[in-house]
Amino acid sequence: MKKLIALLTVAGFLTFGMANMAFAQNEQKTDNSAQTEEAVTEEAPAEQAVLMEDADETPQQGLHYVLKEKYIQGGALWMTPVLICLILGLALVIERVFYLNLASVNSDKLLKKVEDAIQTGGIEKAKELCRNTKGPLASVFYQGLDRYDEGLESVEKSVESYGAVQMGRLETNLSWIGLFLALAPSLGFMGTVVGMVNAFDDIERAGDISPTIVAGGMKVALLTTVFGLITAIILQIFYNYILSKIDSIVNDMENATISFMDILVKNKVK
């Protein structure tokens, strides 16, 4: 809140300074118009040189400064909810990306280890191997091996049931990411509509359709839509990446469970 107040204060001083500068320039132009053409011609190069020096001395604005300025212009009332959607959405995205990367395993390598463990130490050794291996695939294999004494049919049902549970865990928080993805542009559009209403109110109070009033009001109103769409685009890219990652893991799990059942049938360990 203190930073926001400080930014508003700085923006107010800049606006006031720019207004005074514009007013001074207008007075200077009025005075110069009363002079002769020769005096204007002589002073024009000097004025251009001064303007060029001022332009060279003006520091370039960084991206963070521009974003802060646009954030203030858009209005904290509507820009803050969009920013919250971006922060929370990215937090959930980061959590899902880390989880899915940890859930990805080399299924062929794990199947080879399980088969070797069954051949050398039986079901108990294979269960110990799966228990000490991280990832949803190893958990599915462990549940199947734990039901081996009840028959292959029980193993298959256990693998399918627990596999569905693991797939559900992979999709955790996706609904919240989708909510923030849809909420950000909606809030942006709402801010735009409210800003347009305020702009028309300003026109009504002024009693005239001034280009300055219309352009300024529309710019401020459309900033919320711009930030909302940017937030939605960022979250949409990560959302599609997470979906493709989940599909890849699910397909790999389905193929691996089929190979797992083939291993149990081939070895027929009791």
Side-chain angles (χ1 to χ4, degrees):
M1 183 60 69
K2 292 182 180 179
K3 292 183 178 179
L4 181 58
I5 295 175
L7 289 173
L8 290 172
T9 304
V10 172
F13 280 121
L14 290 175
T15 303
F16 181 74
M18 291 177 65
N20 289 336
M21 184 181 298
F23 182 74
Q25 289 178 355
N26 290 332
E27 288 185 348
Q28 184 177 1
K29 289 180 181 179
T30 303
D31 295 337
N32 290 337
S33 63
Q35 298 176 357
T36 61
E37 294 182 357
E38 294 180 357
V40 174
T41 304
E42 292 177 356
E43 293 180 358
E47 292 179 358
Q48 292 179 357
V50 172
L51 292 176
M52 292 177 64
E53 291 179 358
D54 293 339
D56 294 337
E57 293 177 356
T58 302
Q60 294 182 355
Q61 296 180 353
L63 179 60
H64 66 283
Y65 181 84
V66 175
L67 290 177
K68 289 180 181 178
E69 185 179 2
K70 298 302 181 182
Y71 179 87
I72 296 172
Q73 290 179 359
L77 179 62
W78 296 105
M79 299 291 281
T80 300
V82 176
L83 181 61
I84 292 175
C85 289
L86 177 61
I87 294 173
L88 295 179
L90 288 179
L92 294 174
V93 163
I94 293 173
E95 184 271 334
R96 280 295 89 190
V97 170
F98 275 108
Y99 181 85
L100 294 176
N101 286 332
L102 293 175
S104 301
V105 295
N106 190 335
S107 58
D108 294 334
K109 187 176 180 180
L110 180 59
L111 286 169
K112 179 63 177 175
K113 289 182 178 180
V114 170
E115 185 174 10
D116 292 341
I118 292 175
Q119 291 176 353
T120 57
I123 296 297
E124 292 301 324
K125 185 175 181 180
K127 288 172 61 177
E128 182 179 0
L129 172 66
C130 294
R131 188 186 301 111
N132 297 328
T133 303
K134 296 181 180 180
L137 186 58
S139 299
V140 172
F141 288 171
Y142 178 83
Q143 294 296 324
L145 293 171
D146 195 41
R147 302 291 190 278
Y148 186 80
D149 294 338
E150 301 176 7
L152 293 179
E153 184 177 354
S154 179
V155 172
E156 185 177 2
K157 291 181 179 180
S158 177
V159 167
E160 291 178 356
S161 300
Y162 201 71
V165 173
Q166 292 297 326
M167 292 178 189
R169 291 180 179 177
L170 294 176
E171 297 176 355
T172 303
N173 292 331
L174 274 185
S175 60
W176 288 105
I177 298 176
L179 172 64
F180 294 130
L181 193 158
L183 194 59
S186 299
L187 291 172
F189 290 139
M190 184 178 294
T192 297
V193 173
V194 174
M196 294 296 293
V197 172
N198 293 333
F200 284 116
D201 289 339
D202 294 337
I203 294 173
E204 184 179 4
R205 283 193 295 268
D208 187 17
I209 303 178
S210 172
T212 304
I213 297 176
V214 175
M218 290 182 64
K219 183 185 73 171
V220 173
L222 292 175
L223 281 175
T224 56
T225 298
V226 171
F227 277 81
L229 292 176
I230 292 174
T231 300
I233 291 172
I234 294 173
L235 294 180
Q236 184 68 60
I237 293 173
F238 285 109
Y239 184 80
N240 288 351
Y241 168 77
I242 292 173
L243 286 180
S244 64
K245 189 73 173 179
I246 291 175
D247 291 339
S248 177
I249 294 175
V250 169
N251 291 333
D252 186 66
M253 287 177 59
E254 291 177 350
N255 293 330
T257 53
I258 295 174
S259 300
F260 174 72
M261 294 302 301
D262 294 337
I263 290 173
L264 295 181
V265 173
K266 182 176 65 175
N267 289 275
K268 295 181 180 180
V269 180
K270 296 183 180 180

